[in-house]
Amino acid sequence: MALNTVKEGNVVTRLADSTVLPKMVTVRQLLDHSHIDPADLPELVRTELEPMRGRIRPGMSVAITCGSRGVCNIAVITRAIVDFVKSCGGQPFVFPAMGSHGGATAEGQREILRGYGVTEETMDCPIRATMEVVQVGETEEGMPVFVDRYAYEADGIILCGRVKAHTAFRGPYESGILKMSVIGLGKQHGAEHVHQDGFSDLGRLLPMIARVVFDKTNILGAVAVAENAFDQTCIVEGLLKEEIFEKEPDILRRSKERLGRIFFDDIDVLVVDRLGKDISGDGMDPNITGRFAVPYMESEKKVQHIAVLDLTEETHGNCNGLGLADVTTRRLVEKIDVDCTYPNVVTSTVLCTPKIPLFAHSDRACIQIALKTCNYIDRENPRIVHIKDTMRLEEIEISQAMLEEARANEHIQIQGEPHDWPFDEEGNLW
């Protein structure tokens, strides 16, 4: 993204330069580490899918969904589903089920799968990507329902998706299998219809739309996965088609219990090293930051300013979620790919998420501006939390003023002595 040249010594940088950043302390947050060893996943997936064996006939074409959310071990899990279908005599293929992501193009979505290691070579089966959809019916309220053309034409569909708390609505079904069947299978065209009135009613609409998809397509079942606070697979469950509506809410409940968190609620400045679509649909998970893109979602966590320093490589320039930050860096802004970002944003109808906040020319200036512009804080003892991203929350940094609070928290272990921010000569963290 081209920007007009601005000299490092610009007026905003100079205004913030006198702001003293406090010493920081590394702490360890005690979160649940239990997970499934990746080496055990293929056999576990096969075992969980075994009740589905009688539904796959020899020669039957079976479409297997693969999403865009950076699911841990997704290549291993998808390959295990492919191998199971083959063991039944079926003919599997994988297709991208990701709404409007990847720039809302078939090649863009294929590229996302390639980045996750999901290719025809690694899966040993075809990858079929298209943005074409088939209208399969309407809901009782008259909303048209769409399904990926390749999936619709297949003899059967196996849904695979991560179940977790959504970033913009609440309900018995949030991110997960039903959402995969509605928005993933619906591609950009279907996602656009689902999102046309925003997210506030999505908790009610998802099961209504999913009923039409389930009635009009040959969904065989699903593999539901969930992850712990360390982005590790901790739940894998195979579900027959008729079990999905009943069992997904309990998987969601268990997933939320394993969600990472920051054990400090009153924060002046939250510094986030990086955001990306591979980390959260909103770039940085609002369930962690307390900063939601929609007004009807509330959080008990109080964060006055958020400073975001960079994008992940895996987000491919998609800066969705940057608009929830207050300050960022020039380095991040120059990595933005609007063609990758905007289709997803327009489809969601939440236009604030890609907005570019005030940006600084170094990490130090970015953090200083975020702190300087806070209101009604103890300026001698500011409360700053520094995290890598919202998926990596075990080891974080807190400002020295929060040390006593940390010592009193049974979920926190102090890891070292107070230290200065490790900026290089350009003022960037290393």
Side-chain angles (χ1 to χ4, degrees), residues 201-216:
D201 206 26
L202 207 50
R204 182 185 68 86
L205 290 175
L206 267 185
M208 182 189 302
I209 302 168
R211 289 287 183 192
V212 179
V213 176
F214 276 49
D215 288 344
K216 300 297 184 179

Side-chain angles (χ1 to χ4, degrees), residues 49 52 89 118 153 159 163 181 188 215 262 269 360 394 427:
L49 286 174
M52 205 181 298
V118 178
E153 293 174 351
L159 304 168
V163 179
S181 74
Q188 194 278 332
D215 288 344
I262 298 172
V269 176
E394 182 175 36

Side-chain angles (χ1 to χ4, degrees), residues 21-283:
L21 297 179
K23 290 182 181 293
M24 303 295 287
V25 181
T26 302
V27 301
R28 183 177 298 277
Q29 299 198 118
L30 303 182
L31 302 166
D32 189 348
H33 274 268
S34 59
H35 65 283
I36 300 166
D37 190 312
D40 296 331
L41 284 171
E43 179 61 22
L44 177 58
V45 171
R46 187 199 68 76
T47 300
E48 288 292 317
L49 286 174
E50 197 60 35
M52 205 181 298
R53 182 173 292 275
R55 302 186 179 190
I56 302 176
R57 304 180 305 275
M60 181 177 180
S61 65
V62 178
I64 301 167
T65 68
C66 191
S68 58
R69 295 300 194 187
V71 177
C72 180
N73 298 310
I74 189 58
V76 174
I77 294 168
T78 305
R79 175 60 190 261
I81 300 172
V82 168
D83 289 344
F84 173 79
V85 172
K86 287 182 177 180
S87 76
C88 299
Q91 299 179 346
F93 68 89
V94 175
F95 71 101
M98 53 185 74
S100 62
H101 297 176
T105 68
E107 184 51 42
Q109 296 197 346
R110 186 185 287 269
E111 180 61 31
I112 289 177
L113 296 192
R114 190 176 298 119
Y116 295 152
V118 178
T119 66
E120 293 191 346
E121 292 72 26
T122 59
M123 296 299 104
D124 194 26
C125 76
I127 305 289
R128 297 180 181 166
T130 182
M131 298 307 292
E132 294 182 38
V133 291
V134 175
Q135 182 175 344
V136 297
E138 293 183 350
T139 67
E140 58 198 62
E141 297 179 354
M143 178 182 289
V145 178
F146 301 91
V147 169
D148 176 285
R149 179 170 66 83
Y150 288 136
Y152 179 75
E153 293 174 351
D155 297 319
I157 302 169
I158 296 177
L159 304 168
C160 179
R162 178 176 58 194
V163 179
K164 66 177 295 185
H166 199 271
T167 59
F169 71 91
R170 292 289 178 261
Y173 311 95
E174 296 180 24
S175 286
I177 301 303
L178 288 200
K179 184 169 178 283
M180 175 66 77
S181 74
V182 171
I183 295 174
L185 263 66
K187 312 298 285 192
Q188 194 278 332
H189 197 60
E192 186 174 57
H193 279 80
V194 174
H195 289 107
Q196 62 187 358
D197 291 322
F199 285 93
S200 62
D201 206 26
L202 207 50
R204 182 185 68 86
L205 290 175
L206 267 185
M208 182 189 302
I209 302 168
R211 289 287 183 192
V212 179
V213 176
F214 276 49
D215 288 344
K216 300 297 184 179
T217 63
N218 188 22
I219 291 175
L220 304 173
V223 175
V225 302
E227 296 168 4
N228 64 16
F230 302 96
D231 190 31
Q232 297 168 309
T233 308
C234 63
I235 297 172
V236 173
E237 291 195 11
L239 304 171
L240 294 174
K241 177 179 181 177
E242 60 270 23
E243 296 176 317
I244 295 172
F245 278 84
E246 176 187 354
K247 293 187 176 182
E248 183 175 341
D250 185 63
I251 299 173
L252 175 61
R253 177 190 62 79
R254 287 182 281 146
S255 172
K256 287 183 176 181
E257 290 175 353
R258 306 293 293 276
L259 186 69
R261 61 165 295 184
I262 298 172
F263 288 103
F264 303 91
D265 293 330
D266 188 8
I267 300 171
D268 298 331
V269 176
L270 174 63
V271 180
V272 183
D273 282 345
R274 58 187 199 159
L275 62 77
K277 292 291 286 187
D278 54 310
I279 293 170
S280 169
D282 282 2

Side-chain angles (χ1 to χ4, degrees), residues 2-30:
L3 298 172
N4 293 329
T5 301
V6 182
K7 293 183 178 179
E8 172 62 31
N10 69 80
V11 65
V12 175
T13 300
R14 293 199 303 272
L15 283 172
D17 193 50
S18 62
T19 301
V20 177
L21 297 179
K23 290 182 181 293
M24 303 295 287
V25 181
T26 302
V27 301
R28 183 177 298 277
Q29 299 198 118
L30 303 182

